[in-house]
Amino acid sequence: MKVLLFGGAGYIGTHVAMAFMDRGDTVGIYDNLSTGLRSNVPEGAYFYEGDILDREHVSAVLSEGWDAAVHLAAFKAAGESMIKPEKYSENNITGSLIIMTECEKHGCMNFILSSSAATYGEPQYIPIDENHPTNPENYYGYTKLAIEQNLAWYSKLRGMHFAALRYFNAAGYDTEGRMLGLEKNPANLLPIIMECACGMREKVGIFGTDYDTPDGTCIRDYVHVTDLADAHVAAADYIMKNSKNIIVNLGSETGISVREMVEAARRITGKPIPSEDQPRRPGDPARLVASSSLAHKELGWTAKHSDVDTLISSTWKVYLANTAR
Ligand code: UFG
């Protein structure tokens, strides 16, 4: 299979590229390197430096003939999306429409979208399955929902098949240690804990300690990026084999609190990792945990590497490798 990954030089995209290449697929990576790194591009992958808003360039690359497109080229900071919605509408929504339109024009009719649990908003029940109402709390989540809805229309009107993969909290690094690129300016919990562990940051702020959870801190479902990557391969096979669409959650089905994550990181790294209780961060639901039974049933996918120890130790190795340089 020939797969073109938009945003394939980023944190998740690089792992997805390796998963396709591991089984012998031809991989192309299209990335503007705004957050991705050239050094992340695996050896043997084709690389196209470009922006998804550059329709002519997107079109030229797609004209080379691809069986499937994976779309991971999006801004993803939920907080920022509430302050700069135009940045998110332009890149995430307009950019996606350009990719989808050019894919269809060039006969690339299988589309795998990197979507998000942020499409659900504040949970009405836990675990969250795919029938849960979608009511995004932030503009970022709305952009992902809008892309999914456009894909459904392109499917109806033009026969495109798509998989929308609703990730919960992506974390961890390649379990085989092949990916060493750190994200630029990370805002997520685990990289921040790691920055603290290796002395790049003084302390971890714990955002809210009065939630209705056992230890008062927010609970999330962390899913290892190697597991996420495997799901993209399974999803591509699924839509091509069955000629149908799927919208599916990807989570470990396990909830871990912020405090539990900090404590586990202290144990695994052996570092003190100072923390400070801070006020709640606006827009944070108390608890997000996935039901991934649809992914088990339809894709034959289960999270295999998403235990806390593997999440933290695989990330810690990469931070150690970077700080030792
Ligand atoms: N947190 C802290 N301190 C920090 C950073 C985060 O306490 O310095 C807390 C947050 O308040 C939250 C938890 O750690 O309770 C996880 O926060 P992240 O920022 O790592 O992740 P989010 O749950 O906010 O969002 C992530 C992705 C989104 C995706 C969502 C889906 O960033 O893109 O998971 O579940 F939509």
Side-chain angles (χ1 to χ4, degrees):
M1 186 193 308
K2 275 185 77 183
V3 196
L4 182 59
L5 272 60
F6 292 95
Y11 163 60
I12 297 176
T14 307
H15 290 88
V16 175
M18 290 190 295
F20 278 106
M21 291 175 79
D22 282 347
R23 64 162 201 179
D25 291 327
T26 299
V27 167
I29 289 178
Y30 186 101
D31 201 299
N32 67 2
L33 302 181
S34 65
T35 56
L37 300 170
R38 180 66 181 85
S39 55
N40 279 347
V41 175
E43 214 180 304
Y46 295 94
F47 180 65
Y48 308 89
E49 185 170 349
D51 199 290
I52 58 171
L53 294 171
D54 182 350
R55 182 184 291 275
E56 277 171 28
H57 194 198
V58 169
S59 184
V61 174
L62 279 163
S63 74
E64 293 178 15
W66 301 88
D67 301 306
V70 182
H71 176 22
L72 310 111
F75 293 125
K76 60 164 185 160
E80 184 192 49
S81 75
M82 301 295 276
I83 299 158
K84 298 181 186 167
E86 54 292 328
K87 175 175 169 185
Y88 283 73
S89 58
E90 174 102 325
N91 183 75
N92 293 13
I93 301 180
T94 308
S96 297
L97 291 172
I98 289 174
I99 297 174
M100 284 157 54
T101 306
E102 296 306 320
C103 276
E104 196 267 330
K105 196 194 282 176
H106 295 289
C108 177
M109 299 299 273
N110 300 293
F111 199 103
I112 295 103
L113 173 70
S114 165
S115 189
S116 172
T119 50
Y120 294 115
E122 182 69 35
Q124 294 179 9
Y125 57 84
I126 296 282
I128 301 169
D129 59 22
E130 293 80 358
N131 296 320
H132 188 287
T134 47
N135 185 19
E137 281 247 329
N138 50 63
Y139 189 71
Y140 159 73
Y142 165 72
T143 66
K144 291 289 177 176
L145 189 59
I147 304 163
E148 287 187 4
Q149 290 169 343
N150 274 289
L151 280 169
W153 278 107
Y154 272 61
S155 177
K156 206 183 291 190
L157 302 175
R158 296 288 162 87
M160 186 175 261
H161 292 116
F162 74 92
L165 307 181
R166 291 180 175 166
Y167 311 159
F168 280 65
N169 288 54
Y173 270 79
D174 180 41
T175 47
E176 292 175 34
R178 295 171 295 177
M179 154 81 169
L180 292 175
L182 293 179
E183 275 190 283
K184 296 175 197 165
N185 307 318
N188 293 113
L189 179 64
L190 193 49
I192 283 173
I193 293 174
M194 293 291 113
E195 287 189 355
C196 240
C198 61
M200 295 160 72
R201 187 186 280 265
E202 219 175 281
K203 60 186 175 211
V204 183
I206 297 186
F207 300 155
T209 54
D210 58 350
Y211 286 98
D212 184 18
T213 59
D215 67 15
T217 68
C218 286
I219 289 176
R220 292 288 179 275
D221 177 324
Y222 295 88
V223 54
H224 196 287
V225 69
T226 298
D227 287 330
L228 286 183
D230 291 343
H232 290 71
V233 176
D237 288 347
Y238 177 90
I239 59 173
M240 290 171 86
K241 190 167 149 227
N242 301 302
S243 297
K244 64 180 188 192
N245 306 325
I246 186 165
I247 296 178
V248 68
N249 286 345
L250 297 176
S252 63
E253 306 187 304
T254 306
I256 300 168
S257 76
V258 175
R259 221 185 270 295
E260 283 170 340
M261 192 62 106
V262 174
E263 276 160 14
R266 287 181 182 136
R267 171 173 58 77
I268 289 164
T269 64
K271 302 288 180 186
I273 314 182
S275 65
E276 182 180 85
D277 293 355
Q278 292 183 1
R280 291 182 177 199
R281 184 174 71 176
D284 266 347
R287 193 188 289 257
L288 285 178
V289 181
S291 160
S292 276
S293 50
L294 188 70
H296 305 322
K297 185 168 159 265
E298 296 294 329
L299 303 181
W301 177 87
T302 42
K304 296 192 183 98
H305 307 285
S306 298
D307 55 286
V308 185
D309 284 36
T310 308
L311 289 167
I312 296 175
S313 60
S314 61
T315 312
W316 181 229
K317 278 185 198 148
V318 176
Y319 274 82
L320 279 178
N322 276 274
T323 42
R325 268 178 208 163

